[in-house]
Amino acid sequence: MRKEPMSQADARAQYERIHEGMRAYGASYRELARRFATWLGLHSTDAEALIEILTAEERGGTLSPARLSERISLSNSATTALLNRLEQAGHIVRSREHDDRRVITLRSTPRIHTLANDFFGPLGVQVERTVMEKYSPEELRRFESFLADVHTTMTAHLAEPAPSRPLMQ
């Protein structure tokens, strides 16, 4: 089946719809993370860090404090204070698992895994059942590729120096 080329106006309208969809997803994700923080009695940045640690573990990896600091855009000292709070609350542990004993590994506790599953699990099931199953494996692979390309482009853009601050009057 041959596809007809899209007009410039249609292509622009599609871009705008996709852009708005990604913006709306980002806003919903931030709201979900904020509600998770409130539910746990945490500051939103602490919950964001916790989600990063849990996500790394879900994918079979771990984070160091330095890598977490990069992921959530905090200074090293602010990240240390945040990790102290999460450790004191019983949500994470810091360990030295590497041959280089200076390297610290962040791990979530079983209790926070249970709480995160209680909070996020129902949504995950709903997305799998009502959204993911609508699309073929090929469509999902293309969507994954699209999101990876958008992420790569945004990461490269964020690595560039910011424009000069506007003059305020």
Side-chain angles (χ1 to χ4, degrees):
M1 178 196 303
R2 187 176 168 166
K3 293 182 183 177
E4 291 298 316
M6 190 181 288
S7 74
Q8 200 169 18
D10 287 345
R12 184 69 192 165
Q14 183 179 49
Y15 169 83
E16 293 296 334
R17 287 190 307 272
I18 290 169
H19 185 264
E20 176 56 22
M22 289 189 304
R23 188 212 56 77
Y25 171 80
S28 295
Y29 181 86
R30 281 189 307 278
E31 176 61 16
L32 190 62
R34 187 195 65 74
R35 289 181 186 192
F36 182 59
T38 299
W39 187 67
L40 291 174
L42 297 175
H43 184 277
S44 60
T45 305
D46 293 13
E48 180 185 358
L50 196 50
I51 290 168
E52 289 292 334
I53 294 166
L54 288 162
T55 300
E57 290 176 335
E58 230 175 59
R59 293 191 171 107
T62 57
L63 290 178
S64 66
R67 182 70 179 123
L68 176 64
S69 178
E70 292 170 8
R71 302 243 345 136
I72 61 174
S73 301
L74 283 183
S75 68
N76 289 337
S77 59
T79 300
T80 298
L82 177 151
L83 292 173
N84 289 342
R85 290 190 302 271
L86 291 178
E87 194 169 41
Q88 186 176 10
H91 298 319
I92 65 152
V93 292
R94 291 179 260 202
S95 61
R96 299 181 191 282
E97 304 169 10
H98 196 272
D99 290 339
D100 181 347
R101 299 294 293 160
R102 295 172 295 178
V103 176
I104 295 172
T105 301
L106 303 173
R107 298 239 179 235
S108 61
T109 62
R111 180 176 180 274
I112 198 61
H113 270 278
T114 300
L115 291 170
N117 286 336
D118 288 349
F119 187 86
F120 293 107
L123 176 61
V125 169
Q126 189 175 4
V127 167
E128 283 182 29
R129 288 186 182 157
T130 63
V131 178
M132 300 289 283
E133 69 181 20
K134 289 182 186 180
Y135 300 93
S136 71
E138 177 56 29
E139 288 173 310
L140 292 173
R141 277 191 291 279
R142 289 184 57 134
F143 187 61
E144 281 181 276
S145 178
F146 172 80
L147 290 175
D149 290 347
V150 168
H151 181 257
T152 298
T153 302
M154 289 181 79
T155 300
H157 179 76
L158 289 169
E160 296 293 321
S164 298
R165 290 185 71 169
L167 297 175
M168 305 307 269
Q169 294 183 346

